[in-house]
């Protein structure tokens, strides 16, 4: 009985934590965007507008809950939960420090991938149940996009698992205590970050709810509290992707002085996650949106082959190392193997960048022809 | 309902507009989409019809100027220009040279403002949030200039038959001269943000190609025509006002795709800045209005005047009766309307997302289409 009580307490704390984080996140996003766009952002609610997200939440809660005529009542009400619950559930196994985690699953990464896939169903349901044409288009788009980008994401996670010989997030972070994995896995980080952006549907991959085309996609018909649940899920996912890329590639909570001062661990994690989030906001402020076919081409023709290569490299280098040193017992890479792995991945990244820049030159042939008088 | 799954392509009709973020106003499109591909388009206009042409017949010649402000509501000075020129043509009136310079300066400033609006909204259309902020920062400065000249940010009602309402405010030209380099720099910033962005190139290169032949057939004009490779500009082919005294080049595209239409407009901003700089150098003190009566009663006659508005060849056909205070008939030739005519051919077979890009790059203003 007491374990049940503890679990319930833990989960409620986690839920409250996510809610608060989403509120902070939306405020920060608006401020960062405003900064980039030479605006002030929210300024009226509280000092520097810090209460803006709270005010928005109140407004959404107070709004009328509208269900359009001709929608499927049951599914319309269920869909937000299908989207929100998985995005909340993955947080159960994400650790914040070595000791703070709700449930330290041995197959944590596998669990995250498996659970997060369910939210696709929610998206499709939401679009279909609304009974609108724009929402149908949006949900078809999001289904296509999420399934396509799930693959590279899973492959990268598999590659990380191969190297770490574990799917446990705490183990993976502990292995990076001296040197973060991005140093010898830059390719993995790149693929994970890009595919992650697409998974959460942020610019330049926000095609499912492209404002100027399908005016909000699957969520067109939702309002008030139900719409805010979708919103919550989206930001919880963004936060999850940022946290995961920190845990998998940026060394998680490990950093200078964390060995001596335990309390520095969450601070390092927060700093790193903030950096990734800032990158996401920056991208949002800068880039236009892809088109749906370009998005699919990018997933299947560039990201997926790259993730194959990534897995291959990740599997080959440790294997060769064990053959040469005939030391099968250790599951940790030696320094030289890390250097070789990193060099391979950086080389691949350069090749891809070179191919893209060559492709771009083709566009610019007739650029400066009508120079002003 | 039978339970056999259909293998036919699933087509459905999408009603885009009149309230839709991509239509820039109240255009309504009935788009048949097959998945994401557009198979057929039907354009519906008329949601902003105010009967301007008929209204003009009941107003005096000086009252009509304010109606023209409301046609192309992002290029008001250019609209007024066509109308006053038409009346002056019937009256056979010479306009003082300083008034002509004031008119050209305001018109070109307005062209820049209009193209900046195009830049910002195109950015929004393809999902980039920041361009619109960059564009509006500059547009705001330009509108402050408009306000100092005419007292209004839009709907200026500033041009008069035979001249302009008032002289430029004190220090206007000096202030403008010091501002223009900043504007140039800002346009360069805009360029850096969007023009060569990889995703932007992907989204606009080869999208919505308007062939040269089609463009001419549909009587498309302005930047849209020039992007298709036709070097046609009313300021050059049928020079009016003081344009013969001014040097400027006419940027043209090669492919007639969305990127060319975008690029031509960005170049035109530079050209307009160049024109204004020349005007500031050449302008001299003098009278700003010719001798006109308070109540204008032109002789019986008709006149057709065309000017280059930011959207293209804007024409005014004016018929007057002897000794009447109101015109007999006014007909406008609107460039946006002709651009919309080409829409159906351009959209066929394109992606739904590209429809938004194409609508954005055609840069039509519904106030001018519906009149």
């Amino acid at each position: 009985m007491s374990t049940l009580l503890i679990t319930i307490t833990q989960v409620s704390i986690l839920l409250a934590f996510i809610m608060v984080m989403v509120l902070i996140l939306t405020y920060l996003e608006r401020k960062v965007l405003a900064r980039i766009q030479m605006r002030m952002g929210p300024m009226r609610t509280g000092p520097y507008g810090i209460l803006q997200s709270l005010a928005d939440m109140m407004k959404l809660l107070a709004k009328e809950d509208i269900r359009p005529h001709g929608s499927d009542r049951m599914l319309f009400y269920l869909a937000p939960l299908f989207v929100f619950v998985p995005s909340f559930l993955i947080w159960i196994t994400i650790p914040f420090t070595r000791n703070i985690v709700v449930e330290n699953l041995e197959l944590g990464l596998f669990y995250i991938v498996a659970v997060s896939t369910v939210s696709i169903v929610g998206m499709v349901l939401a679009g279909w149940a609304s009974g609108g044409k724009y929402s149908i288009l949006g949900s078809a788009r999001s289904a296509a996009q999420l399934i396509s980008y799930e693959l590279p994401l899973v492959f990268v996670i598999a590659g990380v698992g191969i190297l770490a010989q574990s799917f446990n997030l705490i183990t993976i972070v502990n292995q990076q205590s001296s040197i973060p994995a991005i140093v010898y896995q830059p390719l993995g980080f790149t693929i994970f970050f890009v595919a992650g952006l697409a998974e959460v549907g942020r610019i330049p991959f926000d095609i499912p709810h492209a404002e100027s085309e399908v005016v909000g996609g699957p969520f067109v018909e939702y309002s008030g509290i139900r719409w805010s649940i979708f919103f919550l899920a989206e930001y919880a996912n963004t936060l999850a992707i940022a946290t995961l890329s920190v845990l998998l590639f940026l060394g998680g909570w490990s950093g200078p002085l964390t060995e001596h001062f335990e309390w520095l661990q969450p601070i390092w994690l927060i700093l790193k996650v903030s950096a990734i989030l800032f990158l996401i906001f920056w991208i949002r402020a800068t880039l236009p949106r892809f088109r749906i076919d370009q998005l699919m081409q990018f997933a299947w023709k560039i990201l997926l082959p790259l993730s194959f290569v990534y897995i291959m490299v990740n599997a080959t280098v440790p294997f060769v190392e064990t053959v040469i040193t005939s030391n099968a017992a250790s599951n940790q890479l030696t320094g030289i193997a890390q250097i070789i792995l990193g060099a391979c991945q950086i080389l691949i990244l350069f090749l891809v960048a070179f191919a893209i820049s060559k492709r771009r030159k083709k566009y610019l042939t007739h650029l400066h022809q009508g120079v002003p008088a | 309902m039978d339970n056999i799954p259909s293998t036919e392509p699933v087509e459905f009709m999408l009603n885009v507009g009149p309230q839709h973020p991509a239509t820039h106003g109240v255009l309504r499109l009935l788009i048949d989409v097959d998945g994401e591909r557009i198979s057929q388009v039907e354009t519906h206009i008329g949601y902003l019809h105010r009967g301007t042409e008929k209204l003009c017949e009941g107003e005096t010649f000086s009252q009509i100027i304010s109606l023209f402000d409301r046609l192309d509501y992002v290029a008001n000075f250019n609209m007024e220009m066509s109308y006053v020129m038409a009346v002056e043509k019937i009256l056979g009136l010479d306009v003082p040279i300083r008034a002509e310079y004031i008119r050209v300066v305001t018109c070109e400033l307005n062209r820049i403002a209009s193209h900046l609006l195009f830049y910002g909204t195109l950015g929004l259309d393809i999902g980039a949030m920041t361009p619109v902020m960059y564009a509006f920062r500059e547009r705001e400065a330009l509108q402050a200039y408009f306000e100092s000249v005419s007292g209004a940010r839009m709907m200026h009602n500033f041009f008069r038959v035979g001249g302009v309402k008032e002289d430029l405010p004190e220090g206007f030209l000096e202030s403008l001269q010091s501002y223009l380099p900043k504007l140039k720099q800002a346009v360069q910033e805009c360029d850096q943000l969007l023009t060569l962005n990889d995703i932007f190139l992907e989204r606009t290169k080869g999208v919505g190609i308007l062939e040269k032949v089609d463009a001419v057939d549909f009587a498309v004009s302005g930047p849209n025509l020039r992007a298709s490779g036709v070097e046609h500009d009313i300021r050059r082919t049928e020079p009016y006002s003081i344009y013969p005294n001014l040097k400027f080049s006419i940027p043209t595209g090669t492919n007639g795709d969305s990127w060319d239409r975008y690029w031509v407009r960005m170049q035109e901003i530079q050209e307009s800045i160049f024109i204004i700089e020349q005007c500031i150098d050449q302008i001299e003190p003098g009278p700003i209005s010719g001798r006109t009566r308070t109540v204008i009663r032109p002789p019986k006659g008709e006149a057709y005047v065309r000017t280059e508005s930011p959207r293209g060849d804007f024409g005014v056909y004016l018929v007057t009766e002897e000794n009447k205070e109101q015109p007999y008939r006014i007909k406008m030739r609107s460039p946006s309307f002709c651009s919309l005519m080409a829409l159906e051919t351009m959209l066929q077979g394109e992606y739904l997302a590209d429809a938004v890009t194409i609508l954005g790059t055609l840069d039509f203003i519904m106030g001018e289409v519906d009149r």
Side-chain angles (χ1 to χ4, degrees):
Chain A
M1 193 60 204
S2 67
T3 43
L4 182 67
L5 219 61
I6 289 171
T7 314
I8 289 173
T9 323
Q10 279 176 335
V11 169
S12 348
I13 290 174
L14 190 64
L15 191 63
F17 171 75
I18 291 174
M19 298 266 192
V20 172
M21 284 312 282
V22 168
L23 288 186
I24 296 173
L25 198 59
T26 46
Y27 171 72
L28 284 181
E29 171 163 34
R30 292 176 69 169
K31 276 294 188 188
V32 170
L33 277 181
R35 201 65 192 190
I36 293 173
Q37 298 170 347
M38 306 160 303
R39 298 184 283 126
M40 308 279 274
M43 285 301 275
R44 294 305 178 90
T45 40
Y48 293 96
I50 48 168
L51 298 177
Q52 185 64 49
S53 333
L54 216 60
D56 284 345
M57 198 183 73
M58 288 304 172
K59 184 204 76 177
L60 284 171
L61 286 177
K63 269 180 97 170
E64 190 190 352
D65 185 24
I66 302 168
R67 185 174 68 86
H69 186 75
S71 60
D72 188 314
R73 185 194 165 89
M74 175 90 170
L75 294 182
F76 188 79
Y77 288 154
L78 265 181
L81 298 180
F82 267 92
V83 176
F84 177 68
V85 171
S87 70
F88 168 69
L89 280 181
I90 59 175
W91 281 93
I92 285 175
T93 190
I94 291 180
F96 299 103
T97 71
R98 204 162 293 165
N99 306 317
I100 306 176
V101 56
V102 175
E103 190 65 63
N104 183 21
L105 295 173
E106 216 33 65
L107 287 176
L109 270 178
F110 181 76
Y111 165 82
I112 288 173
V113 169
V115 170
S116 67
T117 317
V118 177
S119 65
I120 299 175
V121 179
M123 292 280 207
V124 177
L125 277 188
W128 187 81
S130 311
K133 286 172 179 172
Y134 286 104
S135 54
I136 281 277
L137 262 179
S139 66
R141 282 175 171 199
S142 68
Q145 173 174 341
L146 294 185
I147 290 169
S148 317
Y149 280 87
E150 196 88 359
L151 284 171
L153 207 67
V154 172
F155 274 114
V156 171
I157 285 176
V160 170
I162 288 173
L163 222 53
Q165 309 243 319
S166 165
F167 267 166
N168 184 311
L169 277 163
I170 293 185
T171 317
I172 290 173
V173 175
N174 282 342
Q175 285 175 2
Q176 304 172 46
S177 56
S178 53
I179 178 168
I182 188 174
V183 176
Y184 52 92
Q185 300 196 65
L187 180 63
F189 175 74
T190 314
I191 300 173
F192 186 83
F193 184 67
V194 173
L197 270 187
E199 259 317 271
V200 295
R202 296 192 64 95
I203 284 177
F205 304 107
D206 68 331
I207 290 147
H209 29 256
E211 303 261 315
S212 53
E213 298 149 32
V214 289
V215 262
F219 321 138
V220 168
E221 310 289 354
Y222 284 88
S223 66
I225 179 76
R226 281 172 219 290
W227 183 83
S228 68
I229 291 175
F230 281 121
F231 188 75
L232 204 64
E234 200 180 307
Y235 275 81
N237 279 335
T238 310
L239 200 60
I241 285 294
T243 315
L244 273 179
S245 46
V246 167
L247 292 178
L248 296 182
F249 296 101
L250 294 182
W253 52 80
S254 44
L257 296 178
T258 44
E259 297 304 316
H260 309 293
F261 305 103
E262 193 92 337
W263 50 271
L264 268 177
Q265 290 182 0
I267 294 179
W268 270 109
L269 186 74
I270 288 171
L271 278 179
K272 288 173 181 175
V273 171
S274 310
I276 294 285
L277 285 174
F278 179 74
L279 191 62
I280 293 177
F281 298 156
W282 191 1
I283 288 174
R284 174 165 181 208
T286 314
L287 294 182
R289 181 187 301 124
F290 275 112
R291 205 171 56 208
I292 184 80
D293 62 315
Q294 292 161 352
L295 175 95
M296 300 303 264
Q297 278 183 11
F298 187 64
W300 295 97
K301 289 186 183 168
I302 299 179
L303 273 193
L304 195 61
L306 265 185
S307 54
F308 282 147
V309 174
Y310 169 74
I311 276 212
M312 211 172 69
V313 173
N314 263 12
T316 317
V317 174
F319 174 72
V320 173
E321 193 203 357
T322 38
V323 169
I324 291 172
T325 60
S326 58
N327 176 15
S330 153
N331 56 8
Q332 277 275 17
L333 281 177
T334 58
I336 296 167
Q338 281 178 352
I339 292 171
I340 293 171
L341 189 63
C344 285
Q345 299 206 355
I346 287 177
L347 183 73
I348 294 163
L349 269 180
F350 264 112
L351 285 178
V352 173
F354 178 69
I356 290 176
S357 72
K358 252 196 122 173
R359 191 156 173 274
R360 186 176 171 213
K361 276 206 185 104
K362 187 185 71 187
Y363 278 142
L364 307 179
T365 44
H366 76 286
L367 184 65
H368 294 293
Q369 34 156 15
V371 185
Chain B
M1 284 281 279
D2 53 350
N3 289 324
I4 307 160
S6 156
T7 51
E8 301 261 303
V10 187
E11 259 189 35
F12 67 85
M13 193 193 71
L14 202 59
N15 186 14
V16 180
Q19 266 111 35
H20 186 280
T23 54
H24 295 276
V26 283
L27 173 68
R28 178 169 171 233
L29 297 172
L30 294 178
I31 299 183
D32 284 342
V33 282
D34 171 14
E36 288 273 342
R37 289 267 186 191
I38 295 169
S39 53
Q40 214 184 337
V41 188
E42 206 180 309
T43 325
H44 288 257
I45 60 170
Y47 288 88
L48 203 57
H49 184 73
R50 293 146 297 176
T52 306
E53 288 179 6
K54 188 69 189 166
L55 276 175
C56 287
E57 292 167 18
E59 306 287 335
T60 64
F61 284 97
S62 34
Q63 284 171 331
I64 290 172
I65 300 171
S66 67
L67 287 177
F68 269 73
D69 273 331
R70 284 150 181 80
L71 288 178
D72 183 346
Y73 41 74
V74 296
N76 321 76
F77 281 126
N78 294 278
M79 297 292 108
E80 292 176 17
M81 181 87 170
S82 300
Y83 170 71
V84 291
M85 275 172 61
V87 182
E88 283 156 10
K89 196 170 173 185
I90 289 185
L91 284 171
L93 205 63
D94 276 333
V95 183
I97 191 76
R98 184 174 170 87
E100 290 282 23
Y101 273 105
I102 294 173
R103 283 181 183 179
V104 168
V105 167
T106 47
C107 277
E108 292 300 324
L109 278 177
N110 217 337
R111 190 187 310 277
I112 297 171
S114 167
H115 284 348
L116 281 175
L117 182 81
F118 158 82
Y119 167 82
T121 49
L122 178 66
L124 280 185
D125 281 341
I126 58 169
M129 300 174 74
T130 309
V132 72
M133 298 294 165
Y134 276 52
F136 269 70
R137 176 186 59 181
E138 299 314 314
R139 221 176 106 83
E140 208 51 42
L142 290 175
Q143 272 188 321
Y145 280 115
F146 296 157
E147 198 177 350
S148 75
V149 170
S150 68
R153 288 161 57 83
M154 292 173 93
M155 317 301 159
H156 310 294
N157 198 2
F158 179 63
F159 291 6
R160 290 287 180 272
V161 175
V164 290
K165 185 174 133 210
E166 279 165 345
D167 205 345
L168 293 173
E170 225 167 279
F172 177 85
L173 290 173
E174 291 76 24
S175 159
L176 193 62
Q177 194 156 30
S178 62
Y179 169 65
L180 284 179
K182 283 184 213 155
L183 180 63
K184 261 187 210 165
Q185 204 187 345
V187 173
Q188 253 166 30
E189 254 177 46
C190 293
D191 245 5
Q192 283 166 7
L193 186 61
L194 207 55
T195 307
L196 292 184
N197 184 305
D198 276 287
I199 301 176
F200 182 71
L201 286 170
E202 286 274 343
R203 284 296 305 274
T204 49
K205 274 275 178 191
V207 168
I209 293 177
L210 181 61
E211 298 289 343
K212 205 186 255 187
V213 189
D214 286 343
V216 174
D217 280 355
F218 282 117
V220 173
S221 58
N224 294 338
L225 178 67
R226 291 192 281 277
S228 299
V230 184
E231 200 178 318
H232 179 84
D233 190 320
I234 307 292
R235 291 176 294 176
R236 178 63 55 77
T237 50
E238 292 173 31
Y240 55 93
S241 192
I242 49 158
Y243 280 109
N245 307 344
L246 300 169
K247 273 186 279 193
F248 59 96
S249 65
I250 302 167
T252 51
T254 40
N255 306 326
D257 57 11
S258 294
W259 193 83
D260 278 354
R261 286 194 284 278
Y262 163 83
W263 194 72
V264 162
R265 285 194 176 87
M266 291 312 276
Q267 295 302 309
E268 270 182 23
I269 296 180
Q270 309 275 9
E271 292 302 324
S272 288
I273 295 175
F274 185 53
I275 290 176
I276 295 167
E277 281 171 347
Q278 295 174 59
C279 287
I280 293 174
D281 288 342
Q282 296 175 9
I283 192 166
E284 275 163 11
I288 47 120
S289 191
R291 283 166 55 85
T292 45
R293 289 158 182 268
T294 330
V295 178
I296 302 162
R297 288 203 176 85
K300 186 176 163 66
E302 51 187 82
Y304 183 71
V305 166
R306 53 213 292 223
T307 56
E308 184 74 18
S309 93
R311 262 146 280 284
D313 174 2
F314 182 77
V316 175
Y317 180 58
L318 177 66
V319 185
T320 55
E321 284 177 311
E322 190 66 48
N323 221 11
K324 276 285 279 282
E325 286 171 36
Q326 295 97 358
Y328 177 74
R329 175 86 168 94
I330 286 189
K331 165 91 178 77
M332 300 90 167
R333 186 247 184 231
S334 127
S336 299
F337 182 78
C338 296
S339 299
L340 275 188
M341 297 290 282
L343 194 64
E344 282 178 31
T345 18
M346 287 167 79
L347 285 187
Q348 220 115 67
E350 297 279 3
Y351 282 95
L352 184 64
D354 285 341
V356 179
T357 318
I358 294 167
L359 286 174
T361 52
L362 279 180
D363 190 29
F364 50 84
I365 292 291
M366 288 315 284
E368 194 197 36
V369 175
D370 286 340
R371 300 196 283 285

